[in-house]
Amino acid sequence: MLEDSFGRQFHYLRLSVTEACNFRCQYCLPDGYQGPSSEHFLSLSEINTLLSAFSGLGTSKVRLTGGEPTLRRDFLDILSATANTPGIKRVAMTTHGGRMAEHAASWKQAGLHQVNVSIDSLDPRQFAAITGQDKLKQVLAGLDAAVETGLDVKVNSVLLNDFSDARLNRFLDWLKTMPITLRFIELMETGDTTNFFKAQHQGGTPLKQTLVDAGWQPMVRRKDAGPAQEFYHPDYAGKIGLIMPYSKDFCKSCNRLRVAANGKLHLCLFSEHGIDMRHLLSDGDVVGLQQFLVECLGEKHATHFLHEGNTGATKHLAMLGG
């Protein structure tokens, strides 16, 4: 089992397969994607080596992220390879959802268990303003398709200062009959979004109190769960999660490591730099990679340094998929 010097065990790998995305979300890529081309990202062979190494060290859950992972032409092959890796018991992905209506069934058939979709507003005009794409209708159709095919569906919504009571009430009305988990995420500062962060950051604690006062109750956390505090209400088909990276002890339950699309290991979303391991991946050296991972975990810090305004090497969230 992968374990750091603070006794935290790592069951969960977040694997970015591309930095590219065709949405232009205000808090991530407001000017559109301008990064490296696809040949700079991990090949399927390198991904197989990576999966074998991590699964052999106790990783049981893998999330495929981007950018937008479905922009990879071989995404279905990557998904199938992940699901068929011995020891991997749960496969998830993060997507903007624009292609989900058409492909949800094939993703499920390839071995996908869970899909996370970003929806920052249920108002079409506001959705388009935030994402740069007038595609709310297509994304919601994709959600319906994902639920119908039996996928575990989570929706991510970033808290911004223009988040109003009307916006919250629209989401709550939706959850009355929609059997998904809606997760509100505090805006996180990255290297390219400092001014936007200062103008728009909103803490999640007041929202948490609002939910508790309205009868929402905390759920028991799974060992391979992400960082969300999740709540349920007997009158709602859906659940609500809160991800608050600026809260006290947020990093205490950290159980995940990240690998960027360029093959670098990130011990934290906001680590100072990625640790290059492409040479081990290219050589197919599973044992050498496992030894390398064990050694690297000795460098993992107890917490990130977001409270100090230190965002590390993360210029935008598309680099590592959040």
Side-chain angles (χ1 to χ4, degrees):
M1 176 61 61
L2 284 168
E3 184 173 326
D4 70 4
S5 58
F6 303 96
R8 296 175 295 193
Q9 294 184 333
F10 297 87
H11 309 272
Y12 179 7
L13 168 66
R14 297 182 63 108
L15 172 60
S16 175
V17 297
T18 181
E19 293 182 19
C21 185
N22 54 348
F23 275 33
R24 301 188 303 275
C25 295
Q26 293 179 5
Y27 50 80
C28 187
L29 294 173
D31 299 321
Y33 178 66
Q34 301 173 19
S37 54
S38 59
E39 62 265 21
H40 290 86
F41 304 138
L42 292 174
S43 67
L44 180 58
S45 175
E46 290 172 318
I47 289 172
N48 277 322
T49 298
L50 182 75
L51 293 170
S52 295
F54 270 91
S55 64
L57 290 171
T59 297
S60 58
K61 177 180 178 180
V62 175
R63 173 177 301 283
L64 301 174
T65 72
E68 171 51 44
T70 65
L71 293 181
R72 287 266 312 228
R73 294 180 180 179
D74 59 351
F75 174 70
L76 207 59
D77 294 329
I78 295 172
L79 178 56
S80 180
T82 306
N84 287 306
T85 299
I88 302 301
K89 299 176 181 178
R90 189 167 181 83
V91 182
M93 66 175 286
T94 299
T95 174
H96 58 43
R99 302 181 172 195
M100 195 157 58
E102 181 180 359
H103 297 291
S106 62
W107 296 344
K108 172 74 172 179
Q109 187 175 11
L112 186 67
H113 300 102
Q114 177 187 319
V115 60
N116 286 29
V117 186
S118 296
I119 301 180
D120 294 308
S121 176
L122 291 174
D123 178 273
R125 289 175 296 180
Q126 191 173 44
F127 179 91
I130 294 172
T131 66
Q133 295 282 357
D134 186 14
K135 292 188 175 181
L136 179 61
K137 184 176 180 180
Q138 292 95 313
V139 173
L140 291 177
L143 280 183
D144 290 337
V147 170
E148 184 177 344
T149 200
L151 289 169
D152 179 7
V153 179
K154 295 180 185 291
V155 170
N156 295 337
S157 186
V158 176
L159 288 172
L160 303 172
N161 263 340
D162 60 6
F163 191 91
S164 64
D165 290 342
R167 188 173 166 200
L168 174 62
N169 289 333
R170 189 189 289 256
F171 274 124
L172 290 174
D173 289 343
W174 186 54
L175 290 177
K176 284 281 188 179
T177 57
M178 192 67 177
I180 57 97
T181 298
L182 171 64
R183 308 188 315 168
F184 294 109
I185 305 174
E186 284 186 0
L187 179 67
M188 290 173 277
E189 183 178 0
T190 61
D192 289 349
T193 63
T194 297
N195 292 334
F196 184 81
F197 173 82
K198 290 178 179 178
Q200 289 290 340
H201 179 259
Q202 179 183 108
T205 301
L207 176 56
K208 179 180 178 179
Q209 191 60 51
T210 296
L211 294 173
V212 170
D213 291 345
W216 289 83
Q217 302 172 49
M219 297 179 62
V220 177
R221 190 175 185 273
R222 289 177 10 181
K223 76 169 186 178
D224 66 352
Q229 301 176 41
E230 294 195 344
F231 300 82
Y232 73 95
H233 194 294
D235 297 336
Y236 290 79
K239 301 177 180 65
I240 291 179
L242 295 174
I243 299 178
M244 301 186 291
Y246 292 88
S247 61
K248 186 177 182 293
D249 294 332
F250 177 77
C251 298
K252 189 174 182 179
S253 61
C254 183
N255 62 356
R256 57 209 173 279
L257 296 171
R258 294 172 170 84
V259 174
N262 60 10
K264 289 188 176 182
L265 172 69
H266 289 257
L267 300 175
C268 175
L269 177 59
F270 298 99
S271 58
E272 280 303 313
H273 56 83
I275 304 171
D276 190 20
M277 54 183 186
R278 196 74 181 262
H279 58 293
L280 297 169
L281 295 171
S282 300
D283 292 342
D285 187 358
V286 173
V287 174
L289 180 56
Q290 289 177 327
Q291 294 172 343
F292 180 82
L293 292 171
V294 171
E295 292 171 4
C296 286
L297 271 179
E299 302 177 21
K300 185 168 173 63
H301 297 297
T303 182
H304 57 58
F305 299 100
L306 281 176
H307 298 83
E308 301 172 9
N310 187 346
T311 63
T314 303
K315 294 182 178 179
H316 51 75
L317 293 176
M319 289 178 61
L320 285 170

